[in-house]
Amino acid sequence: MKMNKKGVSKKVSTRILSMIMALAITFGMIIASPMKKVNASSNCSNPGTKLVWNTKYSGTLDARGLGVGADNYYRYDFSVDKSGTLSISADIDSLSFGSFMYFYIYDVSNKLVCSVLCQNGHKDLGAYLIAGDYYLTADGIVPGDNCNFSFTSTYEACNETATESIYKKNNTTDTATPYTLGKQYTGYIAHNDYEDYYVFNMKANGFVTYSVDSKLTKHKIEITNTFGDITYKQAGIEMGNAKYKFFLPKGKYYLKVEQDGWVGATYTFNLKYSKLPKVKVKKIRSKMYSKDRSTLTVKFTRNSNVDGYQVMVSPKKNFKAGKKTVTVNMNTANSAIIDSVKRHKTYYVRVRTLKTAPNGKSYYSAWSKVKKIKTK
């Protein structure tokens, strides 16, 4: 039967569509079909080969999927009883263009700790770990060709004051490490432990100086009270030595040290307590302004760490009667005026510093030594 052009076109289109579908199905079967496992004693075993430091290991990877769920990977088990650095010196060859392989590190709960992509050639790798049980895998996708790898590993423990582990971390307020003000402490930030908490007590109102010698590229700190209020925070603390001073009222607090850059280093810190600074009464001047009244001008030393000063005068040496108080809310001030005191009378004068907490409440230092003056 003779067909018109429309019919021919339709028939040709149908045949082309059928061919495309057949190719797609065939290609899909190739992609999805299982491949033969690499024949190696350390391959895909659970548990894996026990990793021995400074021992060379090698293997071959072929075209497989990524991850422990795939059947083409090498597993090496290891344990570390102290936090520190795992170093791997690896050599990879025979990777074709577009191919790659990974070294993965998992903890015993199969949680991925870190991974590093590798290409042909030599590669030095580092993983920063807290104490615990782990396993290392060599894994990858190698389209069309096999990939050969070899590596050796070493481990160097850090000098952490109290060893953390994957079973016991201090990364919450509930698990915070007890800390005593004035003590030096060394902590460690790792791939699987990027923050540390410490709990301490302020027995009196005062300043705390955070002094740190850090090997971290950057870190940050945060001080919170038992209600979760942030009373102080500082970010972008660079590698090296640094000091930061802040005021805290009496109470219980938590210090959080957290990475603010690359992980994998120690930090040694000290929290030192100091009282609110006292100032001295330098000079008192009296001036008559009426027939029975005078003013007192009290000059005192300044301190840039406080928020202001409080001056008190009284005709009684114990300040229990007839007292007058003036508050100066400016730390750059060095004098205060007391109005309307009686003429020809002896007055006692003292001064103290004040500091305002984030909650708006003022806290005071001890009083200065008392000085006296007889008004004009």
Side-chain angles (χ1 to χ4, degrees):
M1 179 183 295
K2 187 177 180 180
M3 298 185 66
N4 58 26
K5 290 182 180 180
K6 185 176 180 181
V8 171
S9 298
K10 184 176 181 180
K11 185 174 181 180
V12 171
S13 298
T14 303
R15 287 180 178 177
I16 292 172
L17 181 61
S18 298
M19 291 173 66
I20 291 171
M21 291 178 64
L23 286 170
I25 292 170
T26 302
F27 181 72
M29 290 175 66
I30 292 171
I31 295 298
S33 62
M35 292 188 175
K36 186 178 180 180
K37 292 182 181 180
V38 174
N39 184 17
S41 59
S42 63
N43 204 26
C44 312
S45 54
N46 188 11
T49 298
K50 184 178 180 180
L51 191 64
V52 179
W53 310 132
N54 295 304
T55 299
K56 186 174 183 179
Y57 297 89
S58 61
T60 300
L61 297 170
D62 62 6
R64 298 288 174 162
L66 285 173
V68 174
D71 57 1
N72 181 50
Y73 70 95
Y74 287 75
R75 171 172 167 162
Y76 306 89
D77 297 345
F78 65 96
S79 298
V80 289
D81 57 6
K82 291 185 177 182
S83 303
T85 305
L86 170 66
S87 299
I88 299 173
S89 180
D91 290 284
I92 298 96
D93 63 60
S94 302
L95 275 171
S96 59
F97 179 78
S99 302
F100 55 91
M101 70 159 289
Y102 278 92
F103 283 103
Y104 293 94
I105 295 177
Y106 297 87
D107 64 22
V108 288
S109 66
N110 295 323
K111 183 179 180 180
L112 179 64
V113 176
C114 62
S115 63
V116 179
L117 182 147
C118 300
Q119 296 177 329
N120 283 327
H122 183 77
K123 186 82 171 179
D124 290 319
L125 321 171
Y128 309 103
L129 309 172
I130 55 175
D133 300 306
Y134 299 91
Y135 62 92
L136 165 73
T137 67
D139 197 352
I141 292 180
V142 192
D145 296 314
N146 290 339
C147 165
N148 301 316
F149 71 89
S150 64
F151 72 92
T152 57
S153 59
T154 59
Y155 191 80
E156 182 179 359
C158 71
N159 60 337
E160 200 174 21
T161 300
T163 298
E164 285 187 86
S165 75
I166 60 175
Y167 309 107
K168 187 179 180 181
K169 296 182 180 181
N170 68 340
N171 57 357
T172 67
T173 54
D174 292 335
T175 59
T177 299
Y179 174 79
T180 302
L181 292 175
K183 299 294 184 181
Q184 183 170 287
Y185 199 98
T186 298
Y188 185 67
I189 297 296
H191 274 108
N192 54 339
D193 181 46
Y194 55 88
E195 62 185 11
D196 293 328
Y197 277 82
Y198 304 90
V199 57
F200 64 95
N201 286 297
M202 292 282 292
K203 295 182 179 180
N205 308 324
F207 287 99
V208 173
T209 301
Y210 174 75
S211 301
V212 65
D213 179 8
S214 176
K215 302 298 187 292
L216 296 161
T217 54
K218 277 187 182 181
H219 74 283
K220 55 187 176 182
I221 62 170
E222 190 175 275
I223 304 289
T224 56
N225 58 24
T226 52
F227 300 104
D229 302 320
I230 298 174
T231 58
Y232 179 79
K233 60 181 178 180
Q234 179 66 51
I237 303 173
E238 302 280 353
M239 181 187 298
N241 295 304
K243 285 186 178 182
Y244 299 92
K245 191 172 185 178
F246 46 91
F247 175 79
L248 292 177
K250 178 181 177 180
K252 181 179 178 180
Y253 294 90
Y254 297 95
L255 164 68
K256 179 172 76 169
V257 181
E258 186 178 1
Q259 68 173 24
D260 200 16
W262 294 104
V263 298
T266 57
Y267 58 92
T268 300
F269 76 93
N270 183 313
L271 292 179
K272 187 176 180 180
Y273 168 80
S274 58
K275 296 179 181 178
L276 268 171
K278 293 170 62 176
V279 291
K280 297 178 181 179
V281 177
K282 293 175 66 176
K283 188 177 181 180
I284 309 169
R285 187 176 63 187
S286 172
K287 184 178 180 181
M288 181 187 73
Y289 78 90
S290 71
K291 65 179 182 178
D292 60 350
R293 292 289 172 178
S294 292
T295 61
L296 290 177
T297 300
V298 181
K299 289 193 174 183
F300 46 83
T301 55
R302 294 183 298 186
N303 190 291
S304 60
N305 290 316
V306 302
D307 294 327
Y309 310 90
Q310 191 175 73
V311 179
M312 183 180 288
V313 301
S314 173
K316 302 291 184 180
K317 192 173 182 179
N318 60 8
F319 293 88
K320 289 187 176 180
K323 61 186 177 184
K324 289 178 175 286
T325 302
V326 172
T327 300
V328 182
N329 291 307
M330 186 168 58
N331 67 357
T332 56
N334 67 348
S335 65
I337 297 175
I338 310 295
D339 290 321
S340 192
V341 293
K342 292 181 180 180
R343 293 183 62 197
H344 309 300
K345 190 174 182 66
T346 298
Y347 280 90
Y348 297 89
V349 181
R350 62 184 181 179
V351 63
R352 62 182 178 179
T353 61
L354 68 90
K355 187 72 178 178
T356 304
N359 62 5
K361 186 177 179 180
S362 293
Y363 297 86
Y364 300 91
S365 71
W367 289 105
S368 67
K369 289 184 178 180
V370 177
K371 285 196 173 185
K372 66 179 181 179
I373 186 173
K374 188 171 183 178
T375 58
K376 293 180 179 181

